[in-house]
């Protein structure tokens, strides 16, 4: 009936199939994942659950057996069906509910459920790279990495080296559970990315943060535009469309024929990415909802306001909030 209802069946199946000597292998895998921030099936982490770790050890026999196998995984090509619920791998791969999931581990007690469905493509890739790295050079640091320290000067240097523009929208954290909050933050930052790109501000990266406050980070490849823009209209012989084009743009700027095509030169409403972000979020709650801002995010922003922090403000805030500084560091070092 629900995920909670499955738990007694999971416990019973694990008790019957996990060998006593494999318990320590499970603990190794959990610590390996925990050390790198990919242990947990909550919506914030999108990583490996404890049950998934147990199934992987049962399937591969040991921690090292898992590491050797996972180091060569390819997204969308991994299928583990311990109970052989499906007649063939092809049968399971054809299931619509399993499509576009990088890792498929069929639940031994529910053939229609992928235990690894929550694992994000980013965490799948991170896990594969970690396993390959461990095989190449095993070390205790894979289980107990050194404590991360964030230096303000280092952050400033990393930001400057990118030659992009980073802007964060900071607002009060909504009073809602994390499993609701994190999907809403991710959905909203993607909506903001879409809005910005519709105004020709090219976004090359996004991320979200939630601790005492929330923040949505956007990194721009193009963040400043000329005061004017040129629009291409219809050909000179498309009379009806020409009339519409001229009527619309003659009031706004210049209109003329160029190489047999009507063109217009009109002023931009927004020439800076920060201006457009400010404008996009300065509406009433119902208007924010209408433009695709998630409900709890819209409610908080409309009721309590928000700040648009450009790089200097972001770095200043990072110097006062260690968790935000760590978030910024991880974003800047992503893929390393």
């Amino acid at each position: 009936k629900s995920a909670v209802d499955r738990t007694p069946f999971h416990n019973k199946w694990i008790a019957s199939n996990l060998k006593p000597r494999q318990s320590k292998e499970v603990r190794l895998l959990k610590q390996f994942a925990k050390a790198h921030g990919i242990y947990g099936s909550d919506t914030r982490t999108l990583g490996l659950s404890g049950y998934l770790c147990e199934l992987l050890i049962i399937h591969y026999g040991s921690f090292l057996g898992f590491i050797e196998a996972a180091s060569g995984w390819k997204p969308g090509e991994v299928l583990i069906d311990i109970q052989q619920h499906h007649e063939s791998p092809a049968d399971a791969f054809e299931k619509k509910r399993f499509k576009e999931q990088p890792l498929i581990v069929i639940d031994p007690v529910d053939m229609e459920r992928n235990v690894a469905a929550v694992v994000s493509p980013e965490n799948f890739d991170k896990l594969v790279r970690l396993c390959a790295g461990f095989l190449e050079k095993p070390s205790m640091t894979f289980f107990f990495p050194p404590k991360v320290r964030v230096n303000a000067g280092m952050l400033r240097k990393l930001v400057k080296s990118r030659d992009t523009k980073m802007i964060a929208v900071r607002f009060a954290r909504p009073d809602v559970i994390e499993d609701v909050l994190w999907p809403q933050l991710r959905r909203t930052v993607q909506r903001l990315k879409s809005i910005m790109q519709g105004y020709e501000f090219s976004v090359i990266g996004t991320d979200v943060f939630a601790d005492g406050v929330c923040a949505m980070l956007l990194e721009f490849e193009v963040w400043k535009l000329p005061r004017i823009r040129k629009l291409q209209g219809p050909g000179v012989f498309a009379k009806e469309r020409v009339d519409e084009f001229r009527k619309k743009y003659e009031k706004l700027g210049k209109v003329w024929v160029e190489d047999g095509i009507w063109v217009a030169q009109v002023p931009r409403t927004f020439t800076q990415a920060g201006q457009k972000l400010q404008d996009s979020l300065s509406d009433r709650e119902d208007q924010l909802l209408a433009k695709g801002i998630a409900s709890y995010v819209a409610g908080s922003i409309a009721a309590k306001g928000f700040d648009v922090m450009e790089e200097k403000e972001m770095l200043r805030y990072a110097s006062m909030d260690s968790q935000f500084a760590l978030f910024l560091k991880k974003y800047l070092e992503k893929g390393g």
Side-chain angles (χ1 to χ4, degrees):
K1 294 178 183 179
S2 72
V4 175
D5 293 327
R6 292 191 192 96
T7 302
F9 298 100
H10 289 166
N11 293 340
K12 183 178 179 181
W13 192 91
I14 291 296
S16 300
N17 290 274
L18 184 70
K19 298 173 183 175
R21 64 175 179 79
Q22 290 178 321
S23 293
K24 63 181 181 181
E25 305 291 324
V26 172
R27 289 196 292 272
L28 279 174
L29 177 52
K30 288 181 178 180
Q31 182 58 38
F32 184 79
K34 191 178 296 183
H36 299 281
I38 57 174
Y39 179 69
S41 59
D42 55 282
T43 59
R44 176 176 185 165
T45 308
L46 302 178
L48 282 66
S49 67
Y51 181 48
L52 176 57
C53 289
E54 291 169 330
L55 294 180
L56 291 170
I57 293 301
I58 289 170
H59 180 67
Y60 289 112
S62 66
F63 172 74
L64 188 57
F66 161 77
I67 291 288
E68 290 172 342
S71 65
W73 280 354
K74 305 293 181 187
E77 297 180 7
V78 186
L79 173 74
I80 297 170
D81 188 1
I82 300 172
Q83 285 291 102
Q84 297 183 329
H85 284 306
H86 299 272
E87 294 181 7
S88 67
D91 174 51
F93 275 123
E94 284 302 312
K95 295 283 185 182
K96 287 185 179 180
R97 69 181 59 195
F98 298 153
K99 287 187 182 297
E100 297 184 5
Q101 295 179 0
L103 175 62
I104 302 173
V105 180
I106 306 298
D107 192 336
V109 304
D110 183 353
M111 67 180 292
E112 298 299 319
R113 176 174 178 260
N114 176 15
V115 179
V118 74
V119 178
S120 70
E122 293 78 11
N123 281 337
F124 177 88
D125 174 69
K126 187 175 183 179
L127 178 62
V128 171
R129 288 190 289 114
L130 283 168
C131 290
F134 182 83
L135 276 182
E136 184 178 343
K137 193 175 181 180
S139 167
M140 284 293 289
T141 59
F142 280 91
F143 300 93
F144 302 99
K147 188 174 180 180
V148 177
R149 287 183 170 80
V150 184
N151 178 279
M154 175 197 68
L155 277 184
R156 194 174 297 107
K157 186 176 179 180
L158 283 172
V159 168
K160 188 177 180 180
S161 70
R162 297 168 82 86
D163 202 22
T164 59
K165 170 68 75 175
M166 299 176 69
I167 303 178
V169 177
R170 180 181 58 180
F171 58 98
R173 179 175 178 142
D175 186 16
V176 63
I177 61 171
E178 290 212 340
D179 277 356
V180 173
L181 176 61
W182 283 89
Q184 288 214 356
L185 288 173
R186 294 187 182 107
R187 190 162 70 250
T188 298
V189 81
Q190 289 305 310
R191 179 60 189 134
L192 289 176
K193 175 182 176 180
S194 178
I195 290 171
M196 298 305 291
Q197 296 194 148
Y199 280 78
E200 301 177 85
F201 298 109
S202 176
V203 179
I204 61 170
T206 64
D207 209 341
V208 294
F209 168 82
D211 193 49
V213 299
C214 292
M216 298 178 290
L217 172 69
L218 296 98
E219 183 177 16
F220 294 89
E221 183 177 30
V222 175
W223 62 92
K224 184 177 180 181
L225 296 166
R227 188 181 63 81
I228 60 169
R229 64 176 179 147
K230 190 175 181 181
L231 302 172
Q232 183 171 300
V236 293
F237 299 109
K239 187 178 184 307
E240 288 187 11
R241 291 178 56 212
V242 167
D243 290 343
E244 291 174 6
F245 185 79
R246 292 185 63 182
K247 184 178 180 181
K248 180 177 181 180
Y249 292 110
E250 279 179 342
K251 298 175 183 178
L252 302 175
K254 301 176 182 179
V255 178
W256 72 94
V257 175
E258 186 174 280
D259 298 326
I261 300 292
W262 280 93
V263 295
Q265 177 184 293
V266 298
R268 280 190 169 86
T269 306
F270 304 101
T271 60
Q272 303 277 348
Q275 294 173 342
K276 179 54 191 164
L277 271 175
Q278 185 78 40
D279 173 77
S280 292
L281 295 171
S282 296
D283 290 326
R284 301 189 311 267
E285 183 176 353
D286 61 326
Q287 294 171 316
L288 292 174
L289 292 171
K291 68 175 64 175
I293 305 303
S295 59
Y296 287 102
V297 176
S300 176
I301 286 175
K304 300 179 181 179
F306 64 97
D307 297 318
V308 173
M309 300 189 297
E310 299 202 9
E311 287 155 354
K312 285 185 179 179
E313 292 86 355
M314 283 174 58
L315 290 168
R316 190 179 303 120
Y317 184 65
S319 70
M320 298 184 290
D321 187 321
S322 61
Q323 290 304 308
F324 184 77
L326 183 59
F327 156 75
L328 198 54
K329 180 178 186 293
K330 287 181 177 178
Y331 175 83
L332 292 166
E333 294 181 344
K334 192 181 295 184

